Amino acid sequence: MSLVIRQIAVDGFRKFRTPFAIENLSDGLNIVIEPNETGKSTLLEALRAAFFVRHNTRNQLAQSFAPYGEAVAPEIKVTFEIDGSPWSLTKRFLRNPSLEISSPQGRAQGDDAEAQLNVLLGSVRDTSRGGDVSSYGALGLLWVAQTEALAVSGPGQIVRDSIASTLEAEVGSIMGGEPYRRVRQRIDAQYELYWSPSGQKRGRQNDARERLAAADAAAREANERLAALEQSFSDLDAARGRLKIVQREIADETDTQARKDLVDSLEIARAAAQILSTRKAEQAAAAAKLKGLEDLKSRHSSATSSRDNATTAVEIARAKRAELSEALSAAKTKIVSAREDLEAARSERKDARRALEDGEQAVRLSRRQAGTAAARRRHEELLKLEQLLRDTKALAATSIPTETVEMLEANDRAVSQAQAVLDAGATRLALSGTINGVTIDGEPMPAGERTITRAAQIVIGEAQLIVSPPAAAASAEETLAVAIRKRTAALDELQIADLAAARSRNQTARDATGELRTLAARIEAVTPADETLQIAAGAEALKLFVAGLEPEANEDDNALPDLTALAEALEAADTKLARAEGTQDSAIAALRRSEEADAPLALVEAGAMSDLANATALLQEIEARPEWASLDVDLDQARETAAEAAVRLEEAERNASAHDVAAINRKIEVIDARVRVAAETRTRLETEIARLEGTIESEGGLGLADRAAAAQEEVEAANAAFQRITEEADTLKLLRDTLESARNETAAKFVGPVAKRAKRYISQLLPECDLSFAEDLTLARVSRTGVDESCANLSRGTQEQLAILTRIAFADLLLEQGKPVSLILDDPLVYSDDGRLDTMIEILTEAATRMQIILLTCRDRAFRHVPGNRIRVGTGT
């Protein structure tokens, strides 16, 4: 019986939100080649829903039919033929669900139509939550969705029963008739009295076993009670002996003296532990200081290299420019003098700043000298350290990213270069003498020099002079203005005055970051635990202790420097520096006016001077730090201090390990436990002696020997009954297994015809190959050149090919029985090589002469040459 699908129409089904239809499906091979996400797999799901999912179900599968986010009624219409007779069905889900079938026998609706479909297609009602293809019958095996053919699997029970009825004529009668079922039911009923379905003992066997176990338990109990009475006499004597030994141990004073000695050692161990904590803090502080000094020296070396390189570049540029004109000599002399004045002003400002810092340091030191008790000194130092820690964190947070600093440097270079270009390209006019009546662009022209970057009209009496500078001068002026605005905007955004301020802020932030670890170590060092004063380790415990102390009279302060005078001196030095910088700027401007002929060299020198100034400023800032003057000495001392701290730490660790508080406490606990156990043992033995005496008194006259003899007789009777029931159970099991073996041998006869049909196709793919099917008609193994291989161990491509070929073989068997058959493959042969792909296409083309085959694929290159009816999802043709 052939099944030919002619038309599929869907509306509101998953991705098909609007009506869509595919028509003109033919009897043979139909090929749908479309890209992914065009709805090929959705059409197969629509066919399955139309034929096998009940219209009035609302399970999870039916809910998934509706397009996402829409509350509509998915509707499917299928037109098909059964043995040439036209059929059609229309099914709607969820909202007003309905089903209507039109056939040569008439129309049917609702549940009657569902029953008619089940009979026609050999399917059963799906009682699961939906999607159980084994309930779909033959078409559940032959309509293969994506990935379902990637593993070789057997047909469902419905298909196996259909194939079995087809093959009965070939293999003869089997053990499966009514007489066999009656005998089997009787044996199974008796079997269930003794065995569970999984072969575990139950029922009568368990009852007999429980009776035997109960008898054994009673006999054991009687024997145990008799033996226990006899044992009680010997246990009583042993307990009395152990009690005497324990009493002698309790009276011994050795453990008491040992515990006293350990308590004395505990105080020494605690002092060693406190020293170890202090040494750890000292070592951490020394290591942090050493790292900071080494980092400062490294940065100074880098800045020195940059300064030397910039100095070399400046000297080369100046040498070349000296060859151009002797007129530059005077200007150079002036700028050298201005630079010397600037250096002197900077040195004076540095001295003033150092004096102010020294004064501030003296004030801070004087404030730390208060207090006479160790707790007060640590508390005052802790408060200062915590404040310094907060300030340092704030400074560390002001760091400017490296990218931003590089951008500021680029802005400075751009301004210098633009200024040099402007000076080189502008026109300069000098007016002197009698200037009455001289105007420029309609305005009186003052005496002196003037730089002109745009065309200007000069009137001198009755004469008129038009000056036109090079065109590049105006653009150079605009470029300079843009560069200055960009630099100013970047500096304003960061709230800094210039590039040097940015570098200074970053240097301060880096120093603050390194200082944070040092401060944390110092805080930990000044807040050790003091068991004598009952102060725990930590700042809060020290603060709480000091807060409870009585106030102490303040000592007289030493004479402090006048910070106001020092600040005024620094301000005066800053003013002098500003004037020196102004003088230098004036000298540079005069020099640039004389360098019109060597503008390219001036541009090079300006860049080199900028780099030199930056490197010099960085060096001056580093060398202005208080620790720079004695850096090498401080660095050597820091290394020695770190080494000494490591030695002291190692010594403290040895002392702490030699006087281990935990070990001493464990020894004390062992002694205490030994004393406690001895006391508990004495109490337990006294209780045991009293119990044994009571047991002997109560159990002595109960006739335990007679009870033990009666319990043994019950054991023998229960054992005989258990042996008899076990033999009955084993006999029933043997009989049932024999019947099952005979049935399996007969059922195995079905495998031969199935393997014969499947081999006709598989031999084209795997020549000289033997097949082995399981009892459930699943292809289990293949044998090639005498080597057996499990299907599960084959490659994915081979498994997919075998799965398709076995389905074609089952389809042939079902066709012989007159079942409605068609084959639908969704994205098949995705793992096939070119040779096997051609072989599979030939087999499918040949099978299409007997049944309708529909291929749904996205692989245009693989199937474009295959002859068949081409269908377009986009057009339905």
Side-chain angles (χ1 to χ4, degrees):
M1 181 185 298
S2 62
L3 167 64
V4 180
I5 299 173
R6 295 300 185 187
Q7 181 192 43
I8 309 169
V10 295
D11 183 10
F13 189 90
R14 290 189 177 169
K15 74 177 300 171
F16 294 109
R17 299 174 182 267
T18 58
F20 174 82
I22 283 186
E23 301 176 341
N24 301 325
L25 292 166
S26 64
D27 293 4
L29 181 60
N30 298 268
I31 305 175
V32 179
I33 304 177
E34 292 291 344
N36 293 326
E37 301 295 332
T38 54
K40 302 185 300 298
S41 300
T42 304
L43 288 175
L44 177 55
E45 288 299 319
L47 277 176
R48 284 182 166 182
F51 283 101
F52 304 117
V53 180
R54 295 184 64 81
H55 66 282
N56 54 5
T57 184
R58 301 187 65 86
N59 58 21
Q60 185 176 359
L61 177 62
Q63 296 289 339
S64 71
F65 293 159
Y68 181 77
E70 295 186 9
V72 298
E75 184 171 317
I76 309 166
K77 182 176 181 180
V78 182
T79 301
F80 57 99
E81 295 179 2
I82 299 290
D83 275 349
S85 299
W87 289 66
S88 68
L89 69 83
T90 302
K91 182 177 288 189
R92 177 183 294 174
F93 294 95
L94 302 179
R95 292 175 175 267
N96 299 320
S98 63
L99 169 62
E100 182 174 340
I101 293 179
S102 177
S103 68
Q105 290 78 29
R107 297 169 58 191
Q109 295 179 340
D111 291 341
D112 293 337
E114 294 281 8
Q116 188 174 349
L117 272 179
N118 290 339
V119 173
L120 176 68
L121 303 177
S123 60
V124 297
R125 180 174 180 178
D126 184 6
T127 58
S128 67
R129 293 186 176 181
D132 183 7
V133 296
S134 64
S135 65
Y136 298 170
L139 297 182
L141 176 69
L142 302 179
W143 289 359
V144 186
Q146 283 182 345
T147 73
E148 287 184 1
L150 292 182
V152 180
S153 58
Q157 185 63 46
I158 298 174
V159 179
R160 292 201 300 270
D161 292 343
S162 298
I163 293 174
S165 62
T166 302
L167 297 178
E168 283 184 1
E170 296 186 30
V171 302
S173 60
I174 62 173
M175 286 186 64
E178 184 62 27
Y180 170 80
R181 283 194 291 272
R182 287 198 299 271
V183 173
R184 181 59 183 266
Q185 289 174 359
R186 177 62 177 170
I187 293 175
D188 287 345
Q190 291 297 317
Y191 181 87
E192 291 175 356
L193 297 176
Y194 297 88
W195 302 95
S196 68
S198 60
Q200 302 296 321
K201 296 178 180 180
R202 73 174 185 183
R204 293 181 179 177
Q205 289 195 86
N206 288 344
D207 293 342
R209 186 186 301 105
E210 291 172 359
R211 178 187 174 189
L212 178 59
D216 284 339
R220 280 197 304 273
E221 181 184 1
N223 291 329
E224 289 171 357
R225 290 184 65 182
L226 180 61
L229 179 61
E230 296 173 352
Q231 184 66 31
S232 296
F233 288 100
S234 58
D235 290 345
L236 180 60
D237 293 337
R240 288 171 176 168
R242 289 198 301 273
L243 180 60
K244 292 179 181 179
I245 294 173
V246 170
Q247 288 174 341
R248 284 198 303 270
E249 291 177 354
I250 293 175
D252 190 357
E253 295 293 332
T254 302
D255 284 345
T256 302
Q257 183 60 39
R259 189 182 190 285
K260 182 179 178 182
D261 295 339
L262 288 173
V263 170
D264 295 337
S265 300
L266 186 60
E267 297 299 326
I268 300 174
R270 287 173 178 168
Q274 183 174 354
I275 294 173
L276 175 61
S277 176
T278 303
R279 294 293 180 261
K280 286 182 178 179
E282 292 174 351
Q283 194 274 339
K289 182 177 180 181
L290 176 60
K291 185 178 184 304
L293 293 176
E294 290 176 343
D295 182 63
L296 181 63
K297 186 172 183 179
S298 174
R299 287 189 285 110
H300 184 272
S301 299
S302 177
T304 301
S305 177
S306 299
R307 182 194 62 187
D308 294 342
N309 293 336
T311 302
T312 302
V314 170
E315 291 174 353
I316 293 173
R318 287 176 178 173
K320 291 181 179 179
R321 294 173 64 198
E323 299 173 359
L324 297 176
S325 175
E326 295 181 358
L328 297 176
S329 177
K332 290 180 179 180
T333 302
K334 183 178 180 180
I335 197 171
V336 168
S337 176
R339 187 181 299 111
E340 290 176 353
D341 292 342
L342 178 61
E343 292 297 331
R346 286 175 176 168
S347 177
E348 184 177 347
R349 184 184 65 171
K350 181 176 68 175
D351 294 340
R353 179 176 295 172
R354 180 180 297 130
L356 179 60
E357 291 176 352
D358 292 343
E360 293 174 346
Q361 180 67 16
V363 171
R364 285 195 296 271
L365 291 176
S366 67
R367 292 173 182 172
R368 293 177 182 172
Q369 295 174 355
T372 56
R376 291 183 183 275
R377 288 195 299 272
R378 291 200 304 272
H379 179 256
E380 291 177 359
E381 186 176 1
L382 173 62
L383 294 179
K384 295 174 184 177
L385 289 174
E386 288 181 340
Q387 180 60 41
L388 186 57
L389 181 64
R390 289 192 292 271
D391 295 342
T392 305
K393 288 181 178 179
L395 289 176
T398 62
S399 175
I400 300 174
T402 304
E403 296 79 1
T404 304
V405 175
E406 293 175 353
M407 182 267 290
L408 293 176
E409 293 174 349
N411 289 343
D412 263 20
R413 285 195 297 271
V415 171
S416 300
Q417 293 172 358
Q419 184 65 53
V421 171
L422 178 62
D423 293 340
T427 299
R428 289 182 173 81
L429 298 178
L431 180 63
S432 61
T434 303
I435 62 175
N436 293 333
V438 180
T439 63
I440 180 170
D441 292 337
E443 299 290 336
M445 183 174 179
E449 291 187 352
R450 169 183 296 224
T451 299
I452 298 177
T453 59
R454 295 179 177 82
Q457 183 180 16
I458 302 174
V459 177
I460 305 174
E462 298 297 329
Q464 180 176 336
L465 174 65
I466 298 176
V467 180
S468 299
S475 62
E477 183 179 23
E478 182 60 25
T479 300
L480 176 61
V482 171
I484 292 175
R485 287 196 299 271
K486 183 177 180 181
R487 180 180 65 179
T488 303
L491 294 174
D492 291 344
E493 182 179 355
L494 295 173
Q495 297 182 353
I496 55 178
D498 51 22
L499 177 61
R503 289 199 179 102
S504 176
R505 180 191 291 184
N506 265 14
Q507 181 60 45
T508 303
R510 282 195 297 270
D511 294 343
T513 302
E515 187 69 12
L516 288 175
R517 293 186 295 272
T518 303
L519 291 174
R522 291 174 63 188
I523 290 175
E524 183 179 358
V526 300
T527 56
D530 190 338
E531 293 188 1
T532 303
L533 299 176
Q534 297 182 350
I535 301 176
E540 296 302 324
L542 180 60
K543 291 178 183 178
L544 182 62
F545 176 77
V546 174
L549 296 177
E550 294 295 331
E552 187 177 37
N554 295 329
E555 296 181 0
D556 294 337
D557 294 335
N558 295 327
L560 300 178
D562 188 352
L563 295 181
T564 302
L566 293 175
E568 291 175 352
L570 178 60
E571 184 178 357
D574 288 338
T575 302
K576 185 176 181 181
L577 176 62
R579 291 176 179 174
E581 289 175 344
T583 302
Q584 185 189 38
D585 293 342
S586 176
I588 292 174
L591 179 62
R592 287 176 179 171
R593 285 193 299 270
S594 301
E595 292 174 340
E596 294 178 358
D598 61 343
L601 293 177
L603 183 63
V604 173
E605 183 181 359
M609 285 293 295
S610 177
D611 294 340
L612 177 60
N614 292 334
T616 303
L618 182 58
L619 282 172
Q620 290 176 348
E621 183 178 356
I622 293 175
E623 293 173 356
R625 296 172 64 91
E627 62 268 26
W628 171 252
S630 59
L631 177 62
D632 294 335
V633 175
D634 291 345
L635 191 58
D636 292 339
Q637 290 179 352
R639 293 191 179 108
E640 293 176 0
T641 302
E644 292 173 357
V647 171
R648 289 195 297 270
L649 176 61
E650 183 178 359
E651 181 181 358
E653 289 176 344
R654 286 197 302 268
N655 292 336
S657 61
H659 303 86
D660 191 353
V661 175
I664 295 173
N665 284 328
R666 285 195 297 271
K667 292 179 181 179
I668 294 175
E669 291 173 357
V670 169
I671 293 175
D672 291 343
R674 191 158 52 232
V675 172
R676 183 174 61 256
V677 169
E680 293 174 352
T681 302
R682 179 180 61 185
T683 303
R684 179 175 54 80
L685 287 174
E686 290 175 347
T687 303
E688 181 69 11
I689 291 171
R691 184 188 65 79
L692 290 173
E693 290 174 347
T695 299
I696 293 171
E697 182 179 354
S698 60
E699 297 285 337
L702 296 180
L704 296 180
D706 295 337
R707 293 184 181 181
Q712 186 59 38
E713 292 177 358
E714 174 60 20
V715 168
E716 294 174 356
N719 188 47
F722 178 72
Q723 294 294 334
R724 176 177 53 79
I725 290 176
T726 301
E727 292 175 357
E728 293 175 358
D730 292 342
T731 301
L732 282 170
K733 186 174 185 180
L734 177 61
L735 179 58
R736 186 175 181 272
D737 292 344
T738 302
L739 288 174
E740 183 67 19
S741 177
R743 188 189 69 82
N744 291 338
E745 291 177 2
T746 305
K749 297 178 182 179
F750 288 101
V751 174
V754 173
K756 179 179 178 181
R757 288 169 172 81
K759 187 174 182 180
R760 184 178 66 175
Y761 301 110
I762 297 177
S763 61
Q764 299 180 46
L765 189 72
L766 304 174
E768 311 259 337
C769 174
D770 293 327
L771 310 178
S772 297
F773 283 80
E775 181 184 347
D776 62 353
L777 301 183
T778 300
L779 180 59
R781 296 184 307 279
V782 296
S783 178
R784 292 182 284 185
T785 64
V787 179
D788 286 344
E789 298 177 83
S790 172
C791 285
N793 295 331
L794 298 175
S795 69
R796 281 296 182 91
T798 303
Q799 290 191 54
E800 183 185 25
Q801 295 150 17
L802 293 177
I804 293 175
L805 295 179
T806 54
R807 281 174 166 83
I808 296 176
F810 289 133
D812 288 340
L813 288 170
L814 294 169
L815 277 174
E816 294 175 9
Q817 192 184 5
K819 300 293 184 180
V821 169
S822 72
L823 182 63
I824 302 178
L825 302 176
D826 187 6
D827 268 340
L829 307 174
V830 293
Y831 296 108
S832 299
D833 58 45
D834 294 340
R836 288 193 176 181
L837 179 61
D838 292 340
T839 301
M840 292 296 298
I841 290 175
E842 291 177 3
I843 295 173
L844 289 171
T845 303
E846 189 274 334
T849 60
R850 301 186 300 277
M851 67 187 80
Q852 183 188 49
I853 298 179
I854 301 176
L855 296 182
L856 307 172
T857 181
C858 60
R859 302 171 63 199
D860 180 63
R861 182 179 300 176
F863 292 93
R864 66 173 62 162
H865 65 284
V866 179
N869 181 30
R870 301 300 178 113
I871 304 295
R872 296 292 304 276
V873 171
T875 61
T877 61

